[in-house]
């Protein structure tokens, strides 16, 4: 779902050439201080035609839609594919397909001469999984049959271009670590925050679109600092947990993940998440992160790429590895150097508990990885859940620990080392609940809402796998070790938090039962239940998570100059983090979406 020029060119004529498109107008702009319009004026008459023209598209009323156009040789329609003149052949040549949604905002009219009115609006259209937006124009002329459209154009935003400026007015602004600002004004221009503060401080630019968000709560976009785009949220990408490869060949599953991450991108935005940190997977996640950064329909993304592992893992493809066994110093250093050259955002090490006899060698490799990462300037991310292993990770210079220590209470030495490193800890409390759901044949719907999850993933999550296929996982789940470890994880979270160690929110999404997107609600609620306040959880899920990604200079809070990534909620998430489920609008890079617009597309 990138805003590529070719897609824009393909899509734009559809808005006008098709005879139908359903409406999706969850975001409506308000015109503040608009002078009263005389109902008989040219502008008022043209406005009625303009609105009826768009309404006819929403209602899929082809005859009425065409009736608003000048039905002569002078009708001019223009777009990226060139000028098209005359009405006669147009209805016959129109494309028979139409967009899934067309959102029209910021309708403006200017009387340019008696009997002639210029109009423009900001459109966004979604078609076959691709979304594009841009500016469309009309020239209305007076005829004996009333005002008609004589000129119609539509031009998509070029890739990388920001949507037109917009101001959000009247909501409560909640920035991490700052007092809330009621009746706030957030001015967005060129995809960035131009001003965020009181209405006196942040005056909307004249002429720019204004959206009334009175009674709503605005926070920076949520950030999940622990995800895996190399996993689906179900067992088909984890045959090591439950092996369904006969039905879901692993290479096909991975190929699909690489080919089409869009359903997950959409689920993230739909859930209010505007950035994710992919902390380990196949190498294709690295260019995927770059593409996501340019897109307005995907969360921003940083990616670590393939992981170094303290033991060989078979979850690779013959031609593509996501786990690279640390069998020697040279392979460790070559991997770090290669990842650095490919543009990886971090180095991830999967540091496991091995038999005693093998641990010294693994420890040596971890230290080599830490040294190589430091030389390359890559932040070191370590998966280590046993206290001694996690301490070794800190010794190696880990900047991020992606899991809680679950084998026992952390001690002062651990806290001292974490503080010295400036380590950020991601507690990842709820990922095992997902595995337990799969093991016990439960849908995760009891833990988090599934509306944002695409139909295919949802049907997998709601499917009960035959018990014979999940025996091994069921034995672990029923054994109770996960239940016993959870209080330890929560206790360690409290200890770290009280000691001032920065905590970032991360779900481990992609793992079975942990869906990309809405899993953040369950994780944030678990952090609150473990003893953090809602405001602290919100900070962990915005500014601290941005810092974990190395992106806190440009995301994570709503301040002048930062990217305009934000969420508008119906209820205050800083009073109770459960209110974060009540997403109303999401802005990514200045593109404002109503939540309804971000729900999964029908397939
Ligand atoms: Zn993970």
């Amino acid at each position: 779902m990138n805003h590529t020029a070719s897609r824009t060119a393909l899509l734009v004529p559809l808005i006008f050439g098709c005879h139908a498109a359903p409406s999706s107008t969850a975001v409506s702009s308000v015109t503040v201080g608009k002078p009263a319009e005389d109902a008989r004026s040219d502008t008022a008459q043209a406005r009625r035609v303009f609105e009826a023209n768009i309404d006819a598209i929403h209602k899929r009323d082809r005859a009425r839609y065409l009736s608003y156009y000048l039905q002569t040789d002078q009708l001019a329609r223009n777009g990226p594919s060139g000028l098209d003149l005359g009405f006669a052949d147009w209805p016959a040549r129109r494309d028979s397909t139409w967009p899934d949604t067309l959102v029209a905002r910021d309708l403006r009219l200017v009387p340019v001469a008696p009997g002639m009115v210029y109009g423009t609006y900001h459109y966004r259209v979604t078609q076959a999984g691709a979304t594009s937006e841009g500016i469309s124009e009309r020239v209305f002329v007076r005829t004996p049959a009333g005002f008609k459209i004589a000129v119609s154009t539509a031009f998509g935003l070029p890739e990388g271009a920001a949507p037109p400026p917009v101001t959000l007015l009247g909501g409560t602004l909640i920035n991490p670590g700052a007092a809330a600002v009621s009746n706030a004004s957030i001015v967005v221009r060129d995809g960035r925050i131009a001003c965020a503060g009181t209405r006196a401080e942040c005056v909307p630019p004249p002429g720019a679109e204004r959206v009334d968000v009175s009674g709503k709560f605005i926070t920076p976009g949520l950030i999940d600092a622990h995800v895996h785009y190399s996993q689906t949220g179900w067992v088909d990408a984890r045959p090591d947990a439950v092996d369904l490869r006969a039905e879901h060949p692993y290479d096909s599953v991975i190929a699909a993940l690489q080919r089409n991450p869009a359903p997950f991108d959409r689920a993230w935005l739909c859930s209010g998440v505007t950035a994710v940190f992919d902390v380990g997977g196949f190498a294709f996640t690295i260019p995927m992160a770059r593409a996501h950064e340019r897109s307005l329909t995907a969360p921003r993304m940083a990616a670590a790429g393939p992981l170094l592992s303290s033991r060989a893992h078979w979850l690779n493809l013959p031609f593509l590895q996501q786990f690279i066994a640390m069998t020697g110093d040279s392979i460790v250093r070559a991997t770090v150097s290669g990842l650095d050259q490919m543009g990886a955002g971090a180095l991830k090490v999967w540091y496991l508990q091995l038999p005693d006899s093998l641990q010294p060698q693994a420890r040596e490799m971890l230290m080599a990885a830490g040294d190589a990462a430091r030389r390359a300037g890559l932040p070191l991310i370590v998966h280590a859940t046993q206290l001694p292993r996690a301490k070794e990770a800190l010794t190696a210079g880990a900047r991020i620990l992606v899991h809680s220590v679950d084998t026992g209470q952390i001690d002062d030495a651990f806290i001292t080392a974490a503080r010295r490193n400036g380590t950020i800890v991601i507690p990842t409390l709820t990922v095992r609940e997902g595995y337990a759901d799969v093991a016990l044949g439960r849908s995760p719907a009891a833990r988090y809402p599934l509306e944002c999850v695409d139909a295919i993933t949802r049907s997998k999550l709601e499917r009960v796998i035959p018990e014979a296929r999940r025996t091994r996982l069921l034995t672990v789940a029923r054994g109770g070790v996960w239940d016993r470890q959870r209080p330890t994880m929560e206790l360690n979270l409290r200890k770290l938090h009280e000691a001032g160690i920065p905590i970032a929110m991360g779900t481990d999404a992609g793992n079975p039962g942990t869906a990309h997107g809405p899993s953040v609600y369950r994780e944030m609620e678990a952090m609150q239940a473990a003893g953090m306040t809602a405001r602290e959880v919100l900070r962990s899920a915005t500014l601290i998570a941005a810092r974990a990604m190395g992106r806190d200079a440009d995301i994570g809070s709503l301040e002048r100059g930062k990217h305009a990534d934000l969420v508008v909620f119906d209820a205050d998430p800083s009073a109770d983090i459960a209110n974060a489920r009540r997403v109303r609008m999401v802005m990514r890079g200045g593109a404002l979406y109503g939540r309804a617009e971000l729900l999964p597309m029908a397939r």
Side-chain angles (χ1 to χ4, degrees):
M1 294 207 297
N2 289 327
H3 284 235
T4 60
S6 61
R7 274 180 184 154
T8 303
L10 180 76
L11 285 165
V12 163
L14 297 178
I15 309 173
F16 306 100
C18 73
H19 60 271
S23 70
S24 174
T25 49
V27 174
S28 58
S29 23
V30 289
T31 311
V32 180
K34 175 170 66 92
E37 216 168 66
D38 179 341
R40 290 157 305 172
S41 70
D42 285 0
T43 307
Q45 292 181 56
R47 183 185 301 280
R48 285 195 290 275
V49 174
F50 203 169
E51 289 171 350
N53 176 234
I54 292 166
D55 182 63
I57 300 174
H58 286 155
K59 302 261 170 66
R60 305 184 166 198
D61 186 340
R62 179 166 175 266
R64 187 158 67 84
Y65 169 71
L66 292 172
S67 75
Y68 300 116
Y69 290 86
L70 198 64
Q71 301 193 355
T72 72
D73 292 347
Q74 277 70 48
L75 174 67
R77 295 178 307 110
N78 207 359
S81 44
L83 180 65
D84 204 352
L85 280 177
F87 181 83
D89 303 334
W90 176 38
R93 282 185 286 106
R94 67 169 174 74
D95 197 307
S96 60
T97 58
W98 51 81
D100 300 317
T101 60
L102 162 64
V103 175
R105 282 164 45 200
D106 201 20
L107 213 88
R108 313 283 187 85
L109 291 113
V110 182
V112 287
M116 188 182 293
V117 177
Y118 169 81
T120 179
Y121 74 97
H122 174 187
Y123 72 83
R124 181 160 55 234
V125 61
T126 299
Q127 163 98 13
T131 297
S132 70
E133 61 184 298
I135 295 297
S136 182
E137 301 164 299
R138 303 280 191 281
V139 174
F140 302 88
V141 294
R142 189 191 296 136
T143 74
F147 272 83
K148 297 288 177 189
I149 299 164
V151 179
S152 161
T153 77
F155 291 94
L157 283 180
E159 184 178 358
V166 59
T167 302
L168 304 183
L169 283 169
T172 300
L173 167 64
I174 299 166
N175 252 320
V181 178
S182 56
N183 196 12
S185 169
I186 300 169
V187 181
V188 173
R189 194 189 294 124
D190 296 328
R192 291 180 184 264
I193 304 292
C195 190
T198 64
R199 288 177 84 135
E201 289 163 344
C202 301
V203 179
E209 182 187 15
R210 299 165 185 207
V211 173
D212 181 6
V213 290
S214 310
K216 312 291 181 205
F217 300 83
I218 305 141
T219 73
L222 302 175
I223 300 172
D224 189 330
H226 184 180
V227 317
H228 300 282
Y229 264 80
S230 297
Q231 298 184 48
T232 60
W234 195 58
V235 297
D236 51 351
R238 288 305 296 265
D240 55 329
V242 174
D243 190 352
L244 298 183
R245 282 177 296 172
E247 248 182 277
H248 299 274
Y250 186 60
D251 51 355
S252 307
V253 170
I254 297 307
L257 283 171
Q258 171 174 14
R259 195 170 53 242
N260 184 23
F264 299 151
D265 298 341
R266 200 174 170 87
W268 286 116
L269 291 186
C270 176
S271 305
V273 178
T274 55
V276 296
F277 197 179
D278 189 308
V279 297
F282 289 102
F284 63 72
T285 54
I286 297 171
M288 185 186 282
R290 280 195 288 271
H292 274 48
E293 185 65 29
R294 294 189 298 269
S295 170
L296 294 177
T297 54
R300 286 176 212 284
M301 181 176 170
L307 307 75
L308 285 170
S309 171
S310 48
R311 68 170 152 78
H313 195 291
W314 61 268
L315 214 54
N316 289 321
L317 291 170
F319 57 95
L320 210 58
Q321 292 187 69
Q322 63 173 332
F323 291 95
I324 293 148
M326 298 190 288
T327 50
D329 195 75
S330 60
I331 184 80
V332 167
R333 291 184 190 276
T335 300
V336 175
S337 162
L339 289 173
D340 182 36
Q341 290 179 65
M342 282 186 72
L347 175 71
K348 168 78 174 288
V349 175
W350 215 41
Y351 189 54
L352 304 175
Q353 182 70 48
L354 298 180
D356 286 353
S357 59
L358 298 176
Q359 205 67 55
Q361 149 84 358
R363 183 182 185 283
E364 197 183 311
M365 291 297 103
L366 172 69
M367 298 306 154
D371 180 60
R374 195 161 36 245
R375 287 168 194 270
L378 289 177
L380 177 67
I381 304 175
V382 183
H383 168 120
T385 58
Q386 303 83 14
L387 183 58
R389 303 291 84 80
K391 281 180 162 175
E392 285 164 352
L394 293 173
T395 304
R399 206 183 118 72
I400 298 168
L401 294 178
V402 283
H403 287 276
S404 295
V405 167
D406 57 21
T407 53
Q409 283 191 45
I410 54 166
D411 53 21
D412 290 345
F414 180 97
I415 289 170
T416 304
R419 189 176 288 132
R420 185 193 59 226
N421 281 0
T423 302
I424 297 172
V425 176
I426 304 175
T428 313
L429 296 173
T430 58
V431 64
R432 283 162 171 176
E433 295 178 358
Y435 278 93
D437 279 348
V438 172
L440 298 165
R442 296 184 305 220
S443 160
R447 297 185 297 117
Y448 55 81
L450 297 180
E451 302 103 75
C452 291
V453 178
D454 70 282
I456 289 175
T457 304
R458 189 171 174 158
S459 70
K460 290 174 184 170
L461 286 167
E462 291 181 328
R463 172 182 162 189
V464 180
I465 299 164
E467 190 165 328
R469 312 293 292 277
R470 52 185 157 92
T471 320
R472 199 161 47 85
L473 202 59
L474 195 55
T475 307
V476 180
R478 287 196 176 138
V481 62
W482 292 340
D483 295 337
R484 285 194 298 278
Q485 287 179 340
R486 179 69 174 266
T488 307
M489 296 162 75
E490 292 175 358
L491 174 64
N492 285 337
L493 170 56
R494 279 193 294 278
K495 290 184 87 158
L496 288 165
H497 184 54
E498 281 159 19
I501 302 299
I503 307 294
M505 190 275 293
T507 58
D508 217 352
N511 275 271
T514 302
H516 292 278
S519 296
V520 293
Y521 304 136
R522 181 70 181 177
E523 183 69 24
M524 292 192 295
E525 287 159 19
M527 292 166 80
Q528 182 175 265
M532 294 175 74
T533 67
R535 291 192 71 86
E536 289 163 350
V537 174
L538 204 52
R539 186 161 176 267
S540 292
T542 54
L543 194 57
I544 308 294
R547 198 193 298 167
M549 289 177 74
R551 296 293 304 269
D552 51 319
D554 58 6
I555 54 174
S557 62
L558 300 177
E559 295 172 79
R560 182 188 170 87
K562 284 194 169 184
H563 288 298
D565 295 355
L566 58 82
V567 189
V568 177
F569 295 100
D570 279 330
D572 185 359
S574 70
D576 179 352
I577 204 66
N579 289 334
R581 294 179 179 230
R582 299 181 60 188
V583 172
R584 170 53 60 113
M585 301 174 203
V586 178
M587 183 181 281
R588 162 66 170 83
L592 184 63
Y593 301 91
R595 183 174 180 274
E597 223 186 317
L598 295 168
L599 290 171
M601 279 172 277
R603 296 208 189 194

